[in-house]
């Protein structure tokens, strides 16, 4: 059983999830579109900010890395994923302890959230990344213009905005 920590995030409202392209960085080999996950949360502000930072780190942008699939299948007690310099997540039963850069597992976590809620966010992110490959990455690889930007809103589901 995990101990109680003062940085507990009491609830993540999945009805408030949105995932969308927010920035364009043409300095890379071809334009790279990064996406952002926005959540409506209730709980301590520090824990909410930590969850947002964790879910918008660079590791969340790529389905080819093992981080996302590993996060979906963590062992119930002590299963963890370490995200290089961007933090770590450790599962304790139905809770997920999130540690940002500079924190060490064993310290008080930066956020304590429901594991099921984080799994749902990761699952939606993976679906979004598949759409991104089709609408953005594929055309760029073929030297074609990007014709649409996928996004997700809980109340509307997945959509593609024509550009």
């Amino acid at each position: 059983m995990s101990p109680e920590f003062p940085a507990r995030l009491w609830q993540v409202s999945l009805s408030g999830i949105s995932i969308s392209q927010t920035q364009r960085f043409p300095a890379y080999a071809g334009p790279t579109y990064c996406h952002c996950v926005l959540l409506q949360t209730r709980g301590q502000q520090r824990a909410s900010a930590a969850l947002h930072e964790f879910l918008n780190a660079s590791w969340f942008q790529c389905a080819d890395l093992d981080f996302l699939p590993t996060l979906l299948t963590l062992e119930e007690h002590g299963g963890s994923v370490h995200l290089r310099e961007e933090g770590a997540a450790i599962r304790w039963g139905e809770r997920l302890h999130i540690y940002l850069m500079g924190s060490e597992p064993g310290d008080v976590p930066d956020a304590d959230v429901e594991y099921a809620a984080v799994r749902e966010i990761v699952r939606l992110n993976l679906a979004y990344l598949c759409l991104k490959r089709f609408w953005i990455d594929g055309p760029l690889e073929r030297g074609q213009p990007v014709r649409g930007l996928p996004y997700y809103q809980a109340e509307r589901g997945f959509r593609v905005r024509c550009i």
Side-chain angles (χ1 to χ4, degrees):
M1 193 60 132
S2 70
E4 294 295 318
F5 291 108
R8 181 175 206 113
L9 181 63
W10 293 103
Q11 182 176 352
V12 174
S13 172
L14 296 183
S15 64
I17 293 175
S18 65
I19 305 174
S20 64
Q21 303 289 16
T22 59
Q23 298 177 16
R24 182 176 179 178
F25 298 100
Y28 297 109
T32 299
Y33 295 86
C34 294
H35 70 279
C36 182
V37 176
L38 301 174
L39 305 172
Q40 289 179 356
T41 59
R42 287 189 351 197
Q44 291 188 350
Q45 186 175 2
R46 182 175 72 103
S48 181
L51 179 63
H52 278 85
E53 183 177 335
F54 182 78
L55 292 175
N56 285 296
S58 66
W59 65 273
F60 211 62
Q61 305 282 327
C62 182
D64 295 332
L65 300 174
D66 289 336
F67 297 134
L68 293 170
T70 300
L71 198 53
L72 287 175
T73 58
L74 291 178
E75 293 179 24
E76 191 170 351
H77 295 289
S80 65
V81 61
H82 294 274
L83 310 170
R84 298 175 288 204
E85 67 279 356
E86 294 178 303
I90 301 175
R91 182 177 177 192
W92 294 106
E94 297 306 313
R95 308 299 297 175
L96 187 68
H97 293 177
I98 295 174
Y99 300 88
L100 298 179
M101 184 175 78
S103 300
E104 293 292 328
D107 293 345
V108 173
D110 294 293
D112 175 5
V113 299
E114 290 180 22
Y115 178 64
V118 174
R119 283 190 76 225
E120 181 65 9
I121 294 164
V122 170
R123 186 187 67 75
L124 290 171
N125 187 64
L126 284 168
Y128 171 82
L129 289 171
C130 287
L131 285 172
K132 183 177 178 252
R133 277 201 172 141
F134 178 80
W135 286 97
I136 298 172
D137 301 339
L140 287 175
E141 288 172 5
R142 295 186 299 275
Q144 299 172 338
V146 173
R147 295 190 320 253
L149 297 175
Y151 65 97
Y152 174 84
Q153 293 175 320
E155 63 276 1
R156 298 184 70 205
F158 287 100
R159 298 282 190 264
V160 176
R161 183 178 306 115
C162 294
I163 57 172

